[in-house]
Amino acid sequence: MSPAMRSWDALPERLLADRGTESAGLLARGLRHYRAAAQYLHGLPYGRNSNRSDYRLVLKEGRGTCSTKHALLAAVALEQGLPVFLTIGIYDMSEANTPGVGPVLSAHGLDRLPEAHCYLTYRGQRVDVTRGGVSPREEIAAFHREWRIRPAQIGAHKQSLHQAFLREWLGRNPDVEEGFEALWEIREACIAALASSGEAALDSGETPTGSAPGADRRRLR
């Protein structure tokens, strides 16, 4: 399976049956096809929900993240009997493939950091409805590890998978001065940068400023 991400238009254009709570929420908004629902969620602002593990808040709060938006679509797929699955993948997050995080990473002498990304898989394709309009300098080149999860597992379970991988990564990179807790705080700062300025700039088609040239960044494995 190619690491390249497709957007909402790669999902099936199935007419939604009046079946299940999550499907009903979409139908109530006039969204009668699965692909149209994915396009609608794509258009909602990027932002953490008041309960970041409750995907049912996406429609209520009018925003969502890669976790909550894709979990909602996966839940609807379950109700509709569609072969669309929620997936977590670990990739090397950098300014090149995730515009907006470069200044945070550079401030700590890093050029990349393992990040957990939620997306959908459908017929051998990775589908990301949250980044369809983004134009990074580079696509995500590869995923270190992937897991298929249930929509209800985007909270503690997703975090435990991510943190376990980050500890392994630290063990393979002894030259990294920061400990696990410090790296997790850097990761949180990257996500905050995306939510505040980075994602807003990306949504408007602008490219955030990258890392300062000549920064002394460690090359990591």
Side-chain angles (χ1 to χ4, degrees):
M1 184 163 54
S2 168
M5 288 284 181
R6 300 287 304 278
S7 191
W8 57 267
D9 55 354
L11 292 171
E13 193 169 1
R14 172 79 66 85
L15 186 68
L16 294 178
D18 189 4
R19 181 190 308 137
T21 303
E22 313 314 330
S23 298
L26 296 173
L27 288 168
R29 287 164 172 77
L31 300 166
R32 307 195 62 81
H33 293 82
Y34 187 75
R35 186 184 295 172
Q39 183 180 14
Y40 175 79
L41 295 185
H42 164 78
L44 292 180
Y46 178 96
R48 278 183 169 171
N49 299 101
S50 55
N51 179 345
R52 69 180 66 177
S53 64
D54 189 354
Y55 59 86
R56 295 168 296 183
L57 294 174
V58 171
L59 295 179
K60 180 179 179 181
E61 298 179 350
R63 66 178 184 273
T65 62
C66 67
S67 296
T68 53
K69 287 185 178 185
H70 291 126
L72 175 57
L73 286 171
V76 172
L78 284 170
E79 293 175 346
Q80 300 295 320
L82 293 170
V84 179
F85 306 102
L86 184 62
T87 307
I88 294 175
I90 303 290
Y91 76 103
D92 288 333
M93 175 174 64
S94 68
E95 176 66 22
N97 59 34
T98 311
V101 303
V104 177
L105 294 173
S106 291
H108 298 278
L110 299 169
D111 64 354
R112 61 185 183 271
L113 193 64
E115 174 59 8
H117 186 45
C118 269
Y119 45 92
L120 302 172
T121 50
Y122 172 63
R123 292 186 174 178
Q125 300 180 99
R126 297 181 177 92
V127 179
D128 184 350
V129 307
T130 65
R131 292 180 56 153
V134 177
S135 298
R137 295 198 306 273
E138 298 176 6
E139 296 294 333
I140 296 174
F143 288 91
H144 296 290
R145 209 167 295 171
E146 294 181 286
W147 302 267
R148 185 181 293 181
I149 63 169
R150 298 188 300 274
Q153 293 180 311
I154 60 172
H157 182 67
K158 176 196 170 192
Q159 181 170 294
S160 68
L161 292 174
H162 186 184
Q163 291 185 343
F165 184 89
L166 186 57
R167 292 181 190 278
E168 292 178 19
W169 181 83
L170 266 175
R172 295 195 301 271
N173 290 278
D175 56 323
V176 176
E177 297 176 1
E178 293 82 359
F180 170 79
E181 296 296 336
L183 283 178
W184 192 255
E185 289 182 5
I186 294 169
R187 181 263 176 184
E188 289 292 290
C190 286
I191 300 305
L194 292 175
S196 59
S197 60
E199 283 291 341
L202 294 171
D203 288 344
S204 65
E206 299 172 5
T207 303
T209 303
S211 305
D216 182 17
R217 293 175 293 173
R218 283 162 281 180
R219 308 303 297 181
L220 307 171
R221 297 188 298 275

mmCIF file of all heavy atoms in Angstrom, residues 159-177:
data_model
loop_
_atom_site.group_PDB
_atom_site.id
_atom_site.type_symbol
_atom_site.label_atom_id
_atom_site.label_comp_id
_atom_site.label_asym_id
_atom_site.label_seq_id
_atom_site.Cartn_x
_atom_site.Cartn_y
_atom_site.Cartn_z
ATOM 1 N N GLN A 159 -3.161 6.856 22.455
ATOM 2 C CA GLN A 159 -2.041 7.501 23.136
ATOM 3 C C GLN A 159 -1.026 6.475 23.633
ATOM 4 O O GLN A 159 0.184 6.692 23.541
ATOM 5 C CB GLN A 159 -2.545 8.343 24.305
ATOM 6 C CG GLN A 159 -1.434 9.073 25.052
ATOM 7 C CD GLN A 159 -1.981 10.093 26.042
ATOM 8 O OE1 GLN A 159 -2.581 11.080 25.669
ATOM 9 N NE2 GLN A 159 -1.776 9.828 27.323
ATOM 10 N N SER A 160 -1.516 5.341 24.134
ATOM 11 C CA SER A 160 -0.592 4.324 24.646
ATOM 12 C C SER A 160 0.249 3.734 23.518
ATOM 13 O O SER A 160 1.447 3.475 23.701
ATOM 14 C CB SER A 160 -1.370 3.212 25.365
ATOM 15 O OG SER A 160 -2.159 2.466 24.454
ATOM 16 N N LEU A 161 -0.328 3.540 22.341
ATOM 17 C CA LEU A 161 0.438 3.046 21.196
ATOM 18 C C LEU A 161 1.507 4.048 20.794
ATOM 19 O O LEU A 161 2.658 3.682 20.529
ATOM 20 C CB LEU A 161 -0.499 2.777 20.018
ATOM 21 C CG LEU A 161 -1.493 1.625 20.160
ATOM 22 C CD1 LEU A 161 -2.438 1.611 18.969
ATOM 23 C CD2 LEU A 161 -0.780 0.289 20.294
ATOM 24 N N HIS A 162 1.119 5.310 20.750
ATOM 25 C CA HIS A 162 2.042 6.374 20.355
ATOM 26 C C HIS A 162 3.182 6.493 21.361
ATOM 27 O O HIS A 162 4.363 6.553 20.984
ATOM 28 C CB HIS A 162 1.266 7.685 20.256
ATOM 29 C CG HIS A 162 2.060 8.828 19.723
ATOM 30 N ND1 HIS A 162 1.555 10.106 19.647
ATOM 31 C CD2 HIS A 162 3.332 8.909 19.241
ATOM 32 C CE1 HIS A 162 2.465 10.910 19.133
ATOM 33 N NE2 HIS A 162 3.564 10.212 18.888
ATOM 34 N N GLN A 163 2.857 6.520 22.641
ATOM 35 C CA GLN A 163 3.890 6.698 23.655
ATOM 36 C C GLN A 163 4.830 5.504 23.715
ATOM 37 O O GLN A 163 6.040 5.671 23.925
ATOM 38 C CB GLN A 163 3.245 6.955 25.007
ATOM 39 C CG GLN A 163 2.555 8.309 25.082
ATOM 40 C CD GLN A 163 2.017 8.616 26.465
ATOM 41 O OE1 GLN A 163 1.864 7.740 27.315
ATOM 42 N NE2 GLN A 163 1.710 9.884 26.705
ATOM 43 N N ALA A 164 4.308 4.305 23.513
ATOM 44 C CA ALA A 164 5.176 3.116 23.506
ATOM 45 C C ALA A 164 6.172 3.200 22.355
ATOM 46 O O ALA A 164 7.363 2.878 22.516
ATOM 47 C CB ALA A 164 4.328 1.851 23.386
ATOM 48 N N PHE A 165 5.704 3.652 21.196
ATOM 49 C CA PHE A 165 6.622 3.792 20.061
ATOM 50 C C PHE A 165 7.651 4.880 20.336
ATOM 51 O O PHE A 165 8.832 4.716 19.995
ATOM 52 C CB PHE A 165 5.872 4.109 18.778
ATOM 53 C CG PHE A 165 6.772 4.160 17.569
ATOM 54 C CD1 PHE A 165 7.024 3.012 16.833
ATOM 55 C CD2 PHE A 165 7.396 5.341 17.192
ATOM 56 C CE1 PHE A 165 7.879 3.045 15.738
ATOM 57 C CE2 PHE A 165 8.253 5.381 16.105
ATOM 58 C CZ PHE A 165 8.495 4.231 15.376
ATOM 59 N N LEU A 166 7.228 5.986 20.937
ATOM 60 C CA LEU A 166 8.161 7.080 21.214
ATOM 61 C C LEU A 166 9.267 6.626 22.168
ATOM 62 O O LEU A 166 10.432 7.001 22.013
ATOM 63 C CB LEU A 166 7.402 8.272 21.805
ATOM 64 C CG LEU A 166 8.205 9.559 22.013
ATOM 65 C CD1 LEU A 166 8.835 10.029 20.706
ATOM 66 C CD2 LEU A 166 7.308 10.652 22.588
ATOM 67 N N ARG A 167 8.935 5.795 23.147
ATOM 68 C CA ARG A 167 9.959 5.264 24.060
ATOM 69 C C ARG A 167 10.936 4.371 23.299
ATOM 70 O O ARG A 167 12.147 4.411 23.536
ATOM 71 C CB ARG A 167 9.289 4.494 25.203
ATOM 72 C CG ARG A 167 8.489 5.380 26.163
ATOM 73 C CD ARG A 167 7.878 4.549 27.283
ATOM 74 N NE ARG A 167 6.932 5.304 28.076
ATOM 75 C CZ ARG A 167 7.244 6.131 29.069
ATOM 76 N NH1 ARG A 167 8.518 6.291 29.391
ATOM 77 N NH2 ARG A 167 6.302 6.775 29.737
ATOM 78 N N GLU A 168 10.424 3.553 22.379
ATOM 79 C CA GLU A 168 11.308 2.725 21.555
ATOM 80 C C GLU A 168 12.243 3.604 20.719
ATOM 81 O O GLU A 168 13.433 3.319 20.581
ATOM 82 C CB GLU A 168 10.472 1.840 20.624
ATOM 83 C CG GLU A 168 9.664 0.758 21.317
ATOM 84 C CD GLU A 168 8.847 -0.032 20.319
ATOM 85 O OE1 GLU A 168 9.181 0.015 19.097
ATOM 86 O OE2 GLU A 168 7.879 -0.686 20.717
ATOM 87 N N TRP A 169 11.668 4.640 20.145
ATOM 88 C CA TRP A 169 12.438 5.564 19.300
ATOM 89 C C TRP A 169 13.549 6.236 20.093
ATOM 90 O O TRP A 169 14.671 6.383 19.600
ATOM 91 C CB TRP A 169 11.470 6.589 18.728
ATOM 92 C CG TRP A 169 12.060 7.614 17.827
ATOM 93 C CD1 TRP A 169 12.329 7.491 16.495
ATOM 94 C CD2 TRP A 169 12.428 8.958 18.176
ATOM 95 N NE1 TRP A 169 12.839 8.670 15.992
ATOM 96 C CE2 TRP A 169 12.902 9.587 16.998
ATOM 97 C CE3 TRP A 169 12.396 9.700 19.351
ATOM 98 C CZ2 TRP A 169 13.348 10.904 16.976
ATOM 99 C CZ3 TRP A 169 12.831 11.012 19.343
ATOM 100 C CH2 TRP A 169 13.304 11.603 18.170
ATOM 101 N N LEU A 170 13.255 6.610 21.336
ATOM 102 C CA LEU A 170 14.283 7.191 22.197
ATOM 103 C C LEU A 170 15.428 6.206 22.415
ATOM 104 O O LEU A 170 16.600 6.588 22.435
ATOM 105 C CB LEU A 170 13.683 7.585 23.546
ATOM 106 C CG LEU A 170 13.204 9.025 23.698
ATOM 107 C CD1 LEU A 170 12.528 9.208 25.053
ATOM 108 C CD2 LEU A 170 14.366 9.992 23.546
ATOM 109 N N GLY A 171 15.088 4.945 22.586
ATOM 110 C CA GLY A 171 16.116 3.930 22.780
ATOM 111 C C GLY A 171 17.025 3.774 21.580
ATOM 112 O O GLY A 171 18.194 3.404 21.723
ATOM 113 N N ARG A 172 16.495 4.060 20.370
ATOM 114 C CA ARG A 172 17.302 3.963 19.148
ATOM 115 C C ARG A 172 18.060 5.249 18.854
ATOM 116 O O ARG A 172 18.874 5.285 17.918
ATOM 117 C CB ARG A 172 16.406 3.614 17.950
ATOM 118 C CG ARG A 172 15.751 2.248 18.034
ATOM 119 C CD ARG A 172 15.195 1.851 16.680
ATOM 120 N NE ARG A 172 14.206 2.788 16.173
ATOM 121 C CZ ARG A 172 12.895 2.713 16.423
ATOM 122 N NH1 ARG A 172 12.430 1.762 17.216
ATOM 123 N NH2 ARG A 172 12.063 3.600 15.898
ATOM 124 N N ASN A 173 17.773 6.306 19.598
ATOM 125 C CA ASN A 173 18.412 7.606 19.376
ATOM 126 C C ASN A 173 18.997 8.142 20.682
ATOM 127 O O ASN A 173 18.484 9.106 21.266
ATOM 128 C CB ASN A 173 17.393 8.600 18.796
ATOM 129 C CG ASN A 173 17.002 8.268 17.369
ATOM 130 O OD1 ASN A 173 17.694 8.604 16.422
ATOM 131 N ND2 ASN A 173 15.882 7.578 17.225
ATOM 132 N N PRO A 174 20.064 7.522 21.181
ATOM 133 C CA PRO A 174 20.631 7.920 22.470
ATOM 134 C C PRO A 174 21.202 9.331 22.488
ATOM 135 O O PRO A 174 21.453 9.882 23.562
ATOM 136 C CB PRO A 174 21.727 6.875 22.710
ATOM 137 C CG PRO A 174 22.080 6.374 21.343
ATOM 138 C CD PRO A 174 20.805 6.409 20.561
ATOM 139 N N ASP A 175 21.401 9.931 21.309
ATOM 140 C CA ASP A 175 21.945 11.286 21.262
ATOM 141 C C ASP A 175 20.884 12.352 21.554
ATOM 142 O O ASP A 175 21.219 13.526 21.725
ATOM 143 C CB ASP A 175 22.586 11.564 19.902
ATOM 144 C CG ASP A 175 21.622 11.342 18.749
ATOM 145 O OD1 ASP A 175 20.806 10.399 18.840
ATOM 146 O OD2 ASP A 175 21.678 12.102 17.770
ATOM 147 N N VAL A 176 19.626 11.949 21.618
ATOM 148 C CA VAL A 176 18.563 12.909 21.950
ATOM 149 C C VAL A 176 18.661 13.228 23.436
ATOM 150 O O VAL A 176 18.586 12.348 24.293
ATOM 151 C CB VAL A 176 17.175 12.327 21.618
ATOM 152 C CG1 VAL A 176 16.075 13.294 22.072
ATOM 153 C CG2 VAL A 176 17.060 12.053 20.127
ATOM 154 N N GLU A 177 18.833 14.499 23.734
ATOM 155 C CA GLU A 177 19.047 14.911 25.124
ATOM 156 C C GLU A 177 17.764 14.885 25.949
ATOM 157 O O GLU A 177 17.793 14.602 27.146
ATOM 158 C CB GLU A 177 19.651 16.319 25.156
ATOM 159 C CG GLU A 177 21.031 16.406 24.505
ATOM 160 C CD GLU A 177 21.550 17.830 24.461
ATOM 161 O OE1 GLU A 177 20.837 18.739 24.949
ATOM 162 O OE2 GLU A 177 22.662 18.042 23.933
#
